[in-house]
Amino acid sequence: MTRRSWHRWQDWTALVIGVLTALSPIVVSTNATALWTLIVFGVLIAATALWSLAQPDSVASEYVHAVLGVLLFISPWVLAYSDLGGASWTSWVAGVLTVAVGLAALPSANAEHRGLAGQH
């Protein structure tokens, strides 16, 4: 059975979220901490999305999405930039969306991992 890579909409969505998060400091006010947090998490989310797209049977990559999303969500409080509205809201929204698409892709990734995808 061949794997169908580059097809899962959740992973494409995660890629877009990652790219937009990494580029968001262009349009939102940041300090040095918020700037680097958004760039690093954006790049990590985009990189794991590429991992998921290339290896659709990788269940771990979907869990990594969820963990990165949670970490991004709490980062305004943990890294003390919650007073920066744009950076904080970017972190919160991108974090929630990243968790959501990571968890939404888990059933499909599990099916691919078990070799059940495409069977009827």
Side-chain angles (χ1 to χ4, degrees):
M1 169 184 266
T2 60
R3 296 181 314 185
R4 284 189 41 214
S5 57
W6 305 93
H7 73 282
R8 200 166 28 234
W9 69 266
Q10 296 95 331
D11 299 329
W12 284 107
T13 303
L15 180 62
V16 170
I17 294 167
V19 169
L20 292 177
T21 301
L23 294 176
S24 68
I26 295 170
V27 295
V28 299
S29 296
T30 63
N31 58 21
T33 302
L35 171 89
W36 286 109
T37 300
L38 292 170
I39 291 172
V40 168
F41 274 104
V43 168
L44 290 172
I45 291 166
T48 57
L50 291 172
W51 170 23
S52 294
L53 284 164
Q55 295 181 332
D57 61 341
S58 173
V59 177
S61 64
E62 305 307 339
Y63 283 112
V64 171
H65 280 139
V67 170
L68 289 173
V70 169
L71 293 175
L72 181 58
F73 182 83
I74 66 171
S75 66
W77 297 294
V78 174
L79 299 175
Y81 66 88
S82 60
D83 58 326
L84 298 169
S88 294
W89 277 101
T90 300
S91 296
W92 295 327
V93 171
V96 167
L97 292 175
T98 301
V99 170
V101 296
L103 295 178
L106 272 175
S108 177
N110 276 318
E112 295 262 358
H113 182 73
R114 292 188 183 111
L116 301 174
Q119 293 181 0
H120 300 285

